Amino acid sequence: MSEYHRPIMERQVVEGLALKDGGIYFDGTAGGGGHSFAILSSNESVRLLATDKDTEAIEEADKRLEAYRGRYKLFHSDFKNFEEIFEKEGIGQIDGFLLDLGISSHQIDDEKRGFAYRLQNAPLDMRMDRSKSFSAKDVVNGYTEEELRRILKEYGEERFAGAIAKRLVKYREKKQIESCGELERLVREGIPAKFRSAACARQSFQAIRIEVNGELAGLEECVRKLVDRLKRGGRGCILTFHSLEDRIVKRTFRDLANGCVCPKEFPVCVCGRKEKIRLVGRYTADEEEIKENSRSKCAKLRIIEKIIE
């Protein structure tokens, strides 16, 4: 398989989707086509719609899935816009969906994409969709100190967000911040010496990436709408890679799995609310996969099944 994307928990995802003959499935984060390939190759009768914000990923996935042409369609789009695609394709309900919310290994390792703090000479970019103009450079050079502090704290859970934001603003009074190396050094300088480490800029880079790509905005609403589109017995699988997105997914799934919300003192239910899903399980990569692909270590896979129309 192409080194573009190594699918995380491939076997667990396919088993979790419980593929149905003739079923229609949605892969909202195609990446290099790893999970899409696993789905299409596991059942010769299923059809697949897949989206990705990254045009390079779409091109790679199309090459990867060549053998299954006619059974899949790829779209350059944010998965949150799936309803527009479903309407265009005449799709009402689906038999399953997958969201792999992690950034691909290819994006991290590609220096021109500017995602990683360890790529010192990379330009500040971090755009998953390169057709958009807004980039990390706009965030670090254009946001106010308060705005920077907020995103570093909220999206990076960075304890020294205030000091880092202040350092960035002070530095850019002299010149713009241009590279990943500059940003990494400034973040490091904003952290007290005793708390610095080789990866101390990771949380700040994560926060800026999330802001650039709007990764958390509308995620809960999208998950709810995808569940609504599932047929009874259909499965949903979501892979998360950090606590912020996992918290949203976990909370949303738990709410959809709950029925009556009437106060306990009520003798009978008056809200009429019914459970929409059952929680199938939560999984992590096994030791063998983690050994082969260290990036799978922080992944969590949550699987649900639709129980009512």
Side-chain angles (χ1 to χ4, degrees):
M1 173 177 178
S2 165
E3 287 301 316
Y4 185 97
H5 178 63
R6 302 177 66 180
I8 303 294
M9 286 187 265
E10 177 183 328
R11 174 183 57 80
Q12 295 92 324
V13 165
V14 172
E15 291 177 356
L17 286 172
L19 300 173
K20 295 178 172 61
D21 291 344
I24 300 174
Y25 293 85
F26 175 61
D27 182 353
T29 42
H35 285 118
S36 292
F37 181 88
I39 292 168
L40 290 167
S41 63
S42 295
N43 187 311
E44 62 182 14
S45 68
V46 302
R47 291 186 292 150
L48 181 78
L49 302 177
T51 60
D52 204 284
K53 293 191 285 188
D54 190 335
T55 53
E56 290 183 15
I58 291 293
E59 291 171 3
E60 185 68 23
D62 202 31
K63 295 175 186 176
R64 173 62 176 152
L65 303 177
E66 171 66 30
Y68 305 108
R69 197 166 297 282
R71 290 174 50 204
Y72 72 90
K73 285 190 177 182
L74 297 170
F75 302 87
H76 175 220
S77 177
D78 190 322
F79 65 82
K80 295 168 189 172
N81 301 324
F82 76 90
E83 289 186 307
E84 298 174 13
I85 293 169
F86 284 15
E87 182 177 354
K88 178 182 177 182
E89 296 298 314
I91 303 296
Q93 289 186 299
I94 57 175
D95 295 278
F97 68 81
L98 165 66
L99 299 180
D100 176 353
L101 301 180
I103 183 172
S104 75
S105 297
H106 176 78
Q107 289 170 327
I108 294 172
D109 296 335
D110 187 348
E111 185 163 329
K112 68 179 182 290
R113 303 300 295 269
F115 279 104
Y117 59 86
R118 60 181 175 78
L119 300 176
Q120 294 289 301
N121 296 319
L124 277 176
D125 192 330
M126 303 192 194
R127 291 173 297 164
M128 291 181 178
D129 185 348
R130 302 184 79 188
S131 69
K132 307 294 184 184
S133 60
F134 184 67
S135 71
K137 186 176 179 180
D138 296 302
V139 173
V140 299
N141 290 295
Y143 277 28
T144 65
E145 182 177 330
E146 177 56 30
E147 288 172 329
L148 287 170
R149 187 201 66 77
R150 177 186 61 80
I151 67 166
L152 293 175
K153 185 175 180 61
E154 291 184 9
Y155 297 159
E157 299 181 297
E158 173 56 67
R159 63 190 294 193
F160 303 110
I164 294 170
K166 183 176 292 187
R167 180 65 181 150
L168 297 180
V169 170
K170 183 178 180 180
Y171 180 86
R172 74 189 193 197
E173 290 175 357
K174 302 176 183 178
K175 67 178 292 292
Q176 282 204 332
I177 303 167
E178 302 280 351
S179 69
C180 288
E182 278 184 290
L183 178 59
E184 191 273 340
R185 176 172 58 81
L186 292 169
V187 169
R188 180 183 297 273
E189 291 173 354
I191 296 174
K194 67 178 181 178
F195 294 106
R196 293 173 190 169
S197 68
C200 64
R202 180 184 58 81
Q203 291 166 276
S204 294
F205 270 68
Q206 171 186 292
I208 295 167
R209 189 200 81 214
I210 289 172
E211 176 70 9
V212 169
N213 297 288
E215 295 175 41
L216 301 182
L219 178 58
E220 178 179 347
E221 180 183 8
C222 177
V223 172
R224 290 180 180 275
K225 288 181 176 179
L226 277 169
V227 168
D228 285 342
R229 291 289 191 135
L230 281 177
K231 296 177 182 177
R232 185 175 183 178
R235 294 285 187 92
C237 295
I238 301 184
L239 275 162
T240 62
F241 291 81
H242 58 75
S243 61
L244 296 174
E245 59 193 15
D246 187 61
R247 202 174 297 146
I248 292 172
V249 174
K250 177 181 178 181
R251 182 182 65 234
T252 304
F253 279 171
R254 281 189 173 179
D255 181 63
L256 292 170
N258 286 332
C260 176
V261 292
C262 294
K264 292 182 179 180
E265 59 268 23
F266 280 25
V268 295
C269 173
V270 296
C271 71
R273 178 181 163 120
K274 303 293 184 183
E275 299 95 333
K276 284 189 174 183
I277 65 173
R278 74 174 181 90
L279 305 177
V280 175
R282 169 190 172 280
Y283 307 90
T284 56
D286 58 34
E287 291 183 8
E288 183 178 350
E289 180 170 7
I290 292 172
K291 185 177 180 179
E292 293 178 356
N293 181 7
S294 62
R295 287 170 178 164
S296 66
K297 185 176 182 178
C298 58
K300 293 184 179 67
L301 171 64
R302 295 184 184 275
I303 303 174
I304 58 91
E305 180 175 303
K306 184 80 171 287
I307 58 176
I308 62 172
E309 294 292 345

